[in-house]
């Protein structure tokens, strides 16, 4: 419903700034889709098949998807150039927000690396301390008690009750 | 808001303390320095299962673990590591320290995956004993014109017949290919997503036949939903007394979904012999035999050396079947 | 009469009551926890229940099955993370409702329609299990293919903003689903030498990433400290008269669709929820509200996903063929207890059938009670300061995902899906079609190729069920497109367009 897109969800609270329409972003996303689906169409042709049967073989379905996808992505590219879609259903992002996101992803990645190395309990407790701090938690309740309790609860639920080793 | 969260925190704190105490208790015995000189086993043993919780392999493994625990006097933690036709678990086991604290349930696929582009080699493991076998059964829809295996094979000489199985690369697909190889029949294996849908396709008459494990078909045979033409085993199955073996019908073919226990290669001798004898005791115990029998499989036990030999002969056999397929 | 009392008496045992409560507790928890599905919980519990008496064991397993179907709606509505795949469609309208301050109403309505959906399907189970189950046997590969194609047309409906982006997202989902071993020949596709990819991307990790983690990341990016979050205002709890009347039609539609899809083997609550939501949208007077917090949408999604319970129980008990993944585990346990589901179960032990039905119904009613009681507490969780909530969601999703395979790789997939989901969200690609593609893609391709292996192309159009479904799919594909073109040409009032759509949708 292209027309309805201009209708902001009525319940958005005051003070929320909708994200601005952005032609470069629309073009970039269309190009992204084109590259992904083009790669799909290309790689599908190079799938190695042990017994060549022709017809509907393992390559057929991904190739079909890739081809249809490339056509649609091209259409999207045209739309993006001619009439970029509004993004007013999204809140606008902030610089601080992206910093927060970057930190969160980095800490989570570190957590996934550390988990097998130092064990679930230590890694999870440290992870929770770190993310809670990034999310703005301060004080002993947020940075000591909360991580300890959450870690303990998960440990109790899985290792002890369900006998699933973490 | 603050008061509420403090309240929540206090409640949770109690829980956390309990959790930590509990973990201290259960972890206590396990924290002795691993690989120390204490008599094996001095810590928990992990049993890796290549399938998700709830399947046949999982059920068998948990039943065996129950029996093994009192024999070895330690906890056995069953860990499911499903994925990639079981090769994820197999590679994981191969990568573990051969100290006897990681063992695993080994399915027939270990003899097949190596021929299907997976990085799995039976030489990387110590095989400690076979614990079960689910022979393959060829079934046809209840209204099928084929009454015997011979009828079926004869018909398949002149026309292409479809045979459902539990998945691409599965043992039952290999069984259909093996039957075709042996008899020159024109069989099209149709892989489904698991044994149950494959059997359902036979019950519903969408395919000409299906190959599935004895446990999967016995109920449907008893209900007359399908007719069993032959069992691919050396003797008849107690749940299917009227189903002839393939050999009785003149085709010397055996296919079974067997399972055993393995460990990474290179176990110390004393650990290995402890494990072997405990597994023999557990696999022949009443409790385990009962569970396996109830699930429709056969509680077949093979000792470590017999099993090792068996695995390598299966490995060669499947190399031929899958190579031709 | 005798049969009924014979079936009910075993339930009077105290142990059975304890088992019921234990199952209920586990089920609710499991549903609540993203990543852990009903089938996983039932499988784990099956390890413990094998030593119990059959009726006690069934009480535990069946109540987990039911309880999980209540628990999983809560994170869907409150934090946009489906607790289990069956609650995917709940997020479409449930979360927007919560964002509009109607979390209380959404939770209450969801619990009631879930209850009613299960009860309707259980009535079908009790009255007509055997004849209806025969219908499931008609579903061979070509019928499954047609059903799945029909399901894929839902893609058009869930891409509310731009059909083009929605369909592209759907194709991406279908493409991701081809990663792994070919379903028929076993050849590697897009595996690139990574062993884990042989079994494809883990579905649960992807949906948690695309829905839950992506939403969390979006909040991180847009959060402004000085703004009050809209979600903490709860609004009304109970639907008013007008809303109850509004829920009638989607409920009726949802229970029929859910029961039907449940009966079809290998199709469960996830698929049913999406199809039910789509059908209700097409027949609604206000289709434009769907996906933006429509009570009708929530009703349809939850009714049809929960009505699959009775449907798959029917197939399982009357045919011995598992109706969904939980039932597959259930059959395993029943066999060990010496109970064999199948046609003779109904003739040889009708009392057991009654027992099973009674457990399901009691579990359903108890679940409703529990969910109404604990609801306030649940919603209070949202009042927690932002940092607890975010950190909690992140760690629970990570751990829940990990336990599905016990492998860190799965959690990495979740994290990556979260980042991809955020990019998609910010660029206007909806996540729903991706998940639909992931869910249905393998079924579509595998069943098509199976059908072709068995009978060649003719079977797709000569089999009556598949032919009808394929025609319905074509109609379903064409009508919204036609309606949209007309609407944009004529610029007529919205209600008019909706009328056209619903008229054609039938």
């Amino acid at each position: 419903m292209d027309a309805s897109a201009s209708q902001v969800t009525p319940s958005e609270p005051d003070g929320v700034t909708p994200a601005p329409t952005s032609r470069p972003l629309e073009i970039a996303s269309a190009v992204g889709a084109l590259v992904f689906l083009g790669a799909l169409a290309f790689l599908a042709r190079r799938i190695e098949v042990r017994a060549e049967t022709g017809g509907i073989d393992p390559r057929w379905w991904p190739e079909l998807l890739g081809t249809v996808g490339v056509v649609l992505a091209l259409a999207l590219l045209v739309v993006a150039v001619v009439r970029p879609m509004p993004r007013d259903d999204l809140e606008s992002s902030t610089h601080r927000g992206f910093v927060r996101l970057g930190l969160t992803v980095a800490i989570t990645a570190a957590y996934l690396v550390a988990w097998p190395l130092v064990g679930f309990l230590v890694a999870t407790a440290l992870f929770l301390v770190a993310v809670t701090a990034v999310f703005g938690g301060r004080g002993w309740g947020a940075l000591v008690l909360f991580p300890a309790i959450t870690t303990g609860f998960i440990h109790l639920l899985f290792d002890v009750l369900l006998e699933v080793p973490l | 808001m603050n008061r509420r969260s403090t309240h929540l925190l206090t409640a949770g704190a109690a829980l956390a303390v309990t959790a930590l105490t509990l973990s201290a208790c259960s972890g206590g015995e396990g924290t002795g320095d691993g690989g120390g000189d204490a008599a094996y086993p001095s810590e928990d043993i992990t049993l890796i299962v290549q399938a998700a919780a709830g399947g046949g392999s999982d059920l068998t493994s948990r039943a065996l673990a129950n029996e093994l625990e009192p024999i070895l006097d330690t906890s056995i933690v069953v860990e499911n590591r499903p994925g990639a036709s079981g090769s994820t678990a197999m590679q994981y086991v191969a990568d573990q320290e051969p100290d006897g604290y990681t063992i695993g349930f080994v399915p027939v696929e270990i003899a097949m995956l190596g021929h299907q582009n997976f990085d799995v080699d039976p030489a990387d493991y110590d095989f400690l004993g076979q614990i079960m076998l689910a022979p393959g059964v060829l079934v046809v829809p209840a209204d099928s014109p084929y009454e015997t295996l011979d009828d079926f094979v004869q018909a398949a000489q002149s026309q292409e017949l479809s045979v459902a199985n539990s998945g691409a690369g599965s043992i039952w697909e290999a069984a259909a290919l093996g039957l075709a190889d042996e008899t020159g029949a024109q069989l099209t294996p149709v892989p489904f997503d698991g044994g149950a849908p494959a059997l359902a396709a036979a019950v519903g008459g969408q395919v000409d036949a299906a190959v599935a494990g004895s446990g999967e078909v016995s109920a449907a045979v008893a209900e007359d939903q399908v007719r069993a033409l032959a069992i691919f085993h050396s003797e008849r199955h107690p749940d299917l007394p009227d189903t002839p073996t393939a050999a009785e019908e003149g085709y010397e073919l055996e296919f079974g979904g067997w399972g055993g226990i393995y460990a990474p290669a290179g176990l110390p001798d004393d650990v290995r012999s402890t494990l072997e004898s405990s597994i023999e005791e557990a696999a022949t115990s009443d409790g385990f035999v009962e569970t396996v029998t109830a699930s429709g499989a056969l509680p077949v036990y093979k000792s470590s050396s017999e099993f090792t030999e068996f695995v390598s002969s299966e490995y060669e056999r499947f190399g031929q079947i899958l190579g031709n397929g | 009469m005798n049969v009924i009392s014979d079936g009910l008496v075993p339930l009077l045992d105290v142990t059975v009551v304890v088992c019921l409560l234990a199952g209920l507790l586990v089920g609710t928890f499991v549903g609540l926890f993203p990543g852990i599905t009903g089938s996983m919980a039932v499988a784990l519990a099956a390890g413990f229940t094998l030593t119990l008496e059959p009726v006690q064991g069934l009480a535990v397993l069946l109540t987990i099955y039911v309880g999980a179907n209540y628990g999983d709606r809560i994170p869907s509505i409150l934090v946009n993370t489906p607790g289990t795949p069956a609650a995917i469609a709940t997020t479409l309208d449930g979360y927007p409702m919560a964002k509009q301050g109607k979390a209380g109403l959404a939770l209450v309505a969801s619990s009631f329609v879930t209850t009613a959906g299960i009860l309707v399907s259980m009535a079908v189970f009790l009255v007509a299990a055997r004849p209806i189950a025969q219908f499931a046997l008609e579903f061979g590969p070509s019928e499954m293919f047609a059903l799945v194609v029909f399901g894929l047309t839902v893609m058009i409906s869930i891409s509310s903003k731009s059909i083009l982006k929605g369909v592209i997202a759907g194709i991406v989902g279908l493409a991701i689903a081809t990663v792994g071993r070919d379903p028929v020949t076993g050849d590697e596709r897009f595996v690139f030498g990574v062993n884990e990819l042989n079994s494809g991307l883990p579905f649960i990790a992807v949906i948690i990433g695309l829905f839950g983690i992506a939403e969390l990341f979006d909040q991180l990016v847009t959060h402004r400290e000085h703004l009050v979050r809209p979600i903490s205002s709860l609004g009304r709890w109970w639907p008013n008269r007008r809303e109850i009347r509004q829920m009638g039609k989607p409920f009726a539609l949802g229970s029929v669709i859910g029961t039907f899809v449940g009966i079809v083997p290998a199709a469960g609550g996830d698929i049913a929820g999406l199809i039910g939501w789509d059908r209700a949208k097409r027949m609604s007077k206000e289709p434009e509200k769907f996906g933006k917090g429509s009570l009708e949408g929530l009703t349809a999604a939850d009714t049809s996903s929960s009505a699959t319970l009775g449907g798959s129980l029917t197939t399982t008990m009357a045919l011995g063929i598992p109706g969904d993944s939980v039932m597959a585990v259930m059959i395993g346990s029943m066999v060990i207890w010496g109970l064999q589901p199948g046609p003779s179960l109904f003739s040889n032990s009708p009392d057991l059938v009654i027992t099973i039905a009674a457990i399901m119904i009691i579990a359903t009613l108890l679940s409703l009670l529990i969910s109404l009681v604990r609801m306030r507490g649940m919603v209070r969780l949202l009042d927690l300061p932002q940092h607890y909530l975010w950190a909690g969601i992140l760690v629970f999703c990570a751990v829940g995902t990990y336990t599905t395979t016990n492998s860190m790789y799965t959690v990495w997939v979740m994290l990556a899906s979260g980042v991809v989901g955020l990019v998609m969200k910010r660029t206007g690609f909806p996540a729903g079609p991706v998940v639909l593609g992931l869910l249905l893609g393998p079924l579509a391709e595998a069943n098509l190729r199976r059908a072709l292996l068995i009978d060649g192309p003719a079977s797709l159009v000569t089999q009556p069920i598949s032919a009808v479904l394929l025609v319905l799919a074509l109609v379903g594909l064409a009508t919204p497109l036609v309606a949209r073109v007309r609407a944009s040409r004529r610029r007529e009032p919205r209600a008019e367009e909706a009328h056209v759509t619903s008229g054609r949708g039938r």
Side-chain angles (χ1 to χ4, degrees):
Chain A
M1 322 246 149
D2 291 340
S4 76
S6 57
Q7 240 179 10
V8 180
T9 328
S11 60
E12 295 252 50
D14 298 332
V16 170
T17 30
T21 306
S22 157
R23 177 168 282 138
L25 187 69
E26 289 296 308
I27 293 177
S29 66
V31 169
L34 190 61
V35 168
F36 180 88
L37 293 161
L40 172 73
F42 175 72
L43 289 173
R45 257 160 243 242
R46 312 202 340 167
I47 292 173
E48 284 174 38
V49 179
R50 270 175 295 176
E52 290 290 348
T53 52
I56 298 208
D57 64 359
R59 293 188 197 107
W60 171 81
W61 175 248
E63 263 190 75
L64 174 74
L65 291 176
T67 316
V68 175
V70 166
V71 173
L72 291 175
L74 284 173
L76 184 66
L77 189 58
V78 173
V79 173
V81 173
V82 177
R83 189 170 53 115
M85 255 188 22
R87 299 198 300 149
D88 45 18
D89 55 332
L90 293 171
E91 282 180 49
S92 64
S93 51
T94 63
H95 178 67
R96 282 190 61 181
F98 276 109
V99 173
R100 194 158 38 210
L101 174 71
L103 281 173
T104 309
V105 173
I107 294 171
T108 313
Y111 169 52
L112 299 189
V113 172
W115 182 344
L117 297 179
V118 301
F120 170 76
L121 290 177
V122 178
T124 307
L126 290 180
F127 165 71
L128 282 171
V129 173
V131 283
T132 314
V134 170
F135 295 158
R138 295 291 178 267
W140 67 279
L143 297 181
V144 180
L145 258 190
F146 169 73
I149 292 167
T150 313
T151 310
F153 171 75
I154 295 174
H155 174 75
L156 186 74
L157 186 66
F158 284 95
D159 277 315
V160 181
L161 279 179
L162 294 173
E163 290 194 358
V164 175
L166 286 177
Chain B
M1 195 174 301
N2 257 336
R3 192 198 281 159
R4 193 172 296 132
S5 58
T6 348
H7 179 72
L8 205 100
L9 290 178
T10 352
L15 203 63
V17 171
T18 332
L20 293 174
T21 326
L22 277 171
S23 80
C25 295
S26 64
E29 54 198 301
T31 43
D33 44 335
D37 296 272
Y40 173 83
S42 58
E43 322 173 4
D44 291 357
I45 296 177
T46 307
L47 176 72
I48 306 292
V49 180
Q50 89 293 353
S57 305
D58 180 63
L59 209 70
T60 315
S61 305
R62 287 180 194 269
L64 188 83
N66 279 344
E67 301 296 332
L68 268 179
E69 283 189 340
I71 298 171
L72 285 166
D73 191 25
T74 184
S75 289
I76 301 201
V77 183
V78 175
E79 199 172 307
N80 302 88
R81 288 183 175 266
S85 306
S87 64
T88 306
M90 293 173 195
Q91 292 175 355
Y92 176 82
V93 169
D95 288 343
Q96 299 308 299
E97 204 61 37
D99 54 8
Y101 292 104
T102 308
I103 57 177
F105 176 85
V106 54
V108 56
E109 279 80 13
I110 196 148
M112 305 170 63
L113 290 170
H115 308 301
Q116 298 166 332
N117 264 353
F118 284 95
D119 188 15
V120 171
D121 186 350
D124 294 338
Y125 308 93
D126 281 351
F127 295 93
L128 302 173
Q130 184 181 335
I131 59 173
M132 54 81 72
L133 170 72
V137 181
L138 180 74
V139 297
V140 293
D143 57 0
S144 164
Y146 315 118
E147 297 287 342
T148 65
L149 179 59
D150 209 41
D151 284 355
F152 182 78
V153 170
Q154 295 295 336
Q157 309 281 1
S158 53
Q159 72 190 96
E160 194 117 342
L161 293 183
S162 54
V163 183
N165 63 61
S166 56
S170 69
I171 170 72
W172 307 131
E173 185 188 54
L177 291 170
L179 181 64
D181 265 6
E182 181 80 17
T183 62
Q186 297 173 291
L187 301 179
T188 314
V190 183
F192 280 77
D193 191 16
L199 182 66
V203 175
Q206 278 105 19
V207 288
D208 297 310
V211 182
S214 54
E216 290 164 317
V217 303
S218 54
V221 172
E223 300 265 11
D224 288 327
Q225 290 173 308
V226 290
R227 184 160 59 239
L229 297 187
I231 182 164
F232 297 109
H233 187 47
S234 56
E235 48 196 271
R236 293 193 178 203
H237 192 289
D239 292 346
L240 301 162
D242 301 328
T243 305
T245 65
E248 287 175 49
E249 298 281 294
Y251 302 96
E252 290 288 342
L253 280 173
E254 287 187 27
F255 289 98
W258 44 260
I261 300 296
Y262 67 165
L267 290 180
D269 288 343
D270 56 325
V271 171
R272 186 176 172 142
S273 64
T274 308
L275 277 172
E276 282 175 15
S277 59
S278 323
I279 289 167
E280 173 167 14
E281 195 181 335
T284 50
S285 68
D286 291 346
F288 180 76
V289 167
E290 227 170 82
T291 311
V292 170
T293 312
S295 75
L298 299 170
V300 171
Y301 173 78
K302 276 199 180 81
S303 73
S304 171
S305 55
E306 292 168 326
F307 187 41
T308 310
E309 209 169 292
F310 177 61
V311 171
S312 70
S313 74
E314 289 279 273
Y315 185 69
E316 275 178 30
R317 181 164 80 119
F318 285 119
Q320 284 177 351
I321 294 176
L322 299 172
N324 295 344
Chain C
M1 271 303 115
N2 236 349
V3 167
I4 293 179
S5 56
D6 282 356
L8 293 180
V9 166
L11 297 179
L12 299 176
D13 187 9
V14 182
T15 341
V16 173
V17 175
V18 172
C19 288
L20 272 170
L21 293 177
L24 214 53
L25 203 69
V26 174
T28 320
F29 251 121
V30 153
L32 204 57
F33 217 114
I36 316 177
T37 57
S39 47
M40 188 178 158
V42 169
L44 288 173
F48 298 97
T49 53
L50 281 184
T51 50
L52 298 178
E53 291 295 308
V55 174
Q56 298 167 353
L58 281 171
V60 176
L61 300 184
L62 289 171
T63 42
I64 293 181
Y65 185 43
V66 172
N69 262 279
Y70 284 81
D72 63 359
R73 309 295 196 262
I74 295 172
S76 296
I77 292 173
L78 297 184
V79 293
N80 199 33
T81 308
T84 73
I88 291 174
T90 310
T91 58
L92 296 177
D93 278 306
Y95 185 62
M97 278 181 80
K99 278 210 288 197
Q100 293 161 17
K102 294 190 216 157
L105 179 64
L107 287 170
V108 169
S110 162
S111 309
F112 273 102
V113 298
T114 301
T115 307
I118 299 177
L119 292 182
V120 167
S121 66
M122 283 311 297
V124 173
F125 170 76
L126 278 173
V127 175
R130 287 180 69 179
I132 285 192
Q134 286 306 314
F135 174 73
L137 285 181
E138 300 295 317
F139 263 75
S142 39
E143 286 79 9
M144 267 310 278
F145 170 71
L147 176 70
V148 169
V149 169
F150 180 68
L152 282 172
T153 61
V154 175
M155 220 174 253
I156 308 276
S157 305
I158 17 182
S159 17
S160 51
K161 231 177 112 187
S162 152
I163 291 197
L164 203 49
K165 282 189 175 175
V167 174
I168 289 178
I171 288 180
V172 169
L174 290 169
I176 297 175
T178 61
V179 172
R181 293 267 167 167
D182 179 85
V184 172
T185 64
D187 289 303
E188 292 171 36
R189 296 196 294 191
F190 311 121
V191 170
F192 308 118
V194 181
N195 185 58
E196 278 88 353
L197 286 181
N198 272 304
S199 52
L201 287 176
F203 178 63
I204 291 177
V206 175
I207 62 169
I208 291 181
L210 285 183
F211 284 100
I213 302 293
E215 174 64 30
L216 171 75
F217 284 175
D218 189 54
Q219 288 182 13
L220 289 182
V221 169
T222 58
H223 180 65
R224 288 169 172 78
E225 274 79 2
H226 59 274
L227 283 181
V228 187
R229 289 187 337 122
I231 204 163
S232 53
S233 55
L234 291 177
R236 274 180 300 125
W237 288 91
W238 299 91
N240 59 31
R241 197 168 291 243
R242 193 182 65 83
E243 284 163 339
I244 291 176
R245 217 169 347 190
Q246 231 181 12
M247 288 161 68
K249 192 159 80 174
F251 171 75
L253 199 64
S255 28
V256 173
I257 290 174
T259 311
F260 167 80
V261 175
I263 288 169
V264 174
D270 38 13
I271 297 177
L274 289 164
I275 294 187
W277 183 87
D278 170 65
R279 288 285 113 185
K281 179 177 179 183
R282 284 157 192 263
M283 297 183 68
S284 168
K285 292 200 178 92
E286 305 172 313
E288 72 281 354
K289 287 197 180 156
F290 276 63
K292 298 188 180 115
S294 159
L295 187 60
E296 287 180 60
L298 180 76
T299 306
D302 276 349
T303 317
S304 44
S305 113
S306 58
T308 55
L309 264 64
S312 56
L313 195 69
T314 304
T315 308
T316 310
M317 297 301 161
L319 291 178
I321 293 165
D324 62 21
S325 49
V326 179
M327 284 295 142
V329 179
M330 194 81 74
I331 290 184
S333 284
M334 288 181 69
V335 167
I336 300 286
W337 286 318
L339 312 171
Q340 181 62 56
S344 61
L345 184 75
F346 283 76
S347 39
N348 296 349
S349 36
D351 51 326
L352 184 67
V353 175
I354 298 287
T355 310
I356 289 172
I359 293 175
M360 288 288 290
I361 292 170
I362 295 172
T364 306
L365 296 176
L366 282 178
S367 299
L368 173 66
L369 198 72
I370 288 190
S371 55
L372 289 180
V373 169
R374 55 130 204 247
M375 201 154 284
R376 275 163 207 278
M378 280 301 153
V379 180
R380 287 279 155 72
L381 280 180
L382 293 179
D383 284 346
L384 284 176
Q386 200 74 61
H387 47 265
Y388 291 135
L389 204 59
W390 283 343
I393 293 174
L394 207 51
V395 78
F396 280 92
C397 287
V399 173
T401 310
Y402 175 77
T403 58
T404 58
T405 57
N406 281 321
S407 152
M408 213 44 82
Y409 153 77
T410 320
V411 195
W412 284 107
V413 172
M414 179 201 80
L415 184 62
S417 308
V419 174
V420 171
L422 176 70
V423 172
M424 287 178 46
K425 201 176 166 72
R426 302 301 302 174
T427 52
F429 288 92
V434 180
V435 171
L436 195 70
L438 266 175
L439 193 65
L440 297 181
L443 289 176
E445 187 195 7
N447 281 302
L448 173 62
R449 290 174 56 194
R450 268 175 217 143
L452 295 176
L453 270 182
I454 296 172
D455 280 330
S459 64
L460 295 176
V461 281
T462 53
Q463 302 286 335
I465 298 180
S466 69
V468 168
L469 281 171
L470 283 175
V471 169
L472 277 179
L474 271 182
V475 173
L477 206 60
T479 39
L481 293 176
V482 172
R484 207 170 278 215
V485 169
R486 279 198 190 173
S488 64
R489 281 221 186 113
R490 288 192 285 168
R491 304 245 168 233
E492 279 192 359
R494 217 132 271 284
E496 191 75 13
E497 176 208 342
H499 195 71
V500 172
T501 322
S502 68
R504 297 268 177 116
R506 266 167 254 199

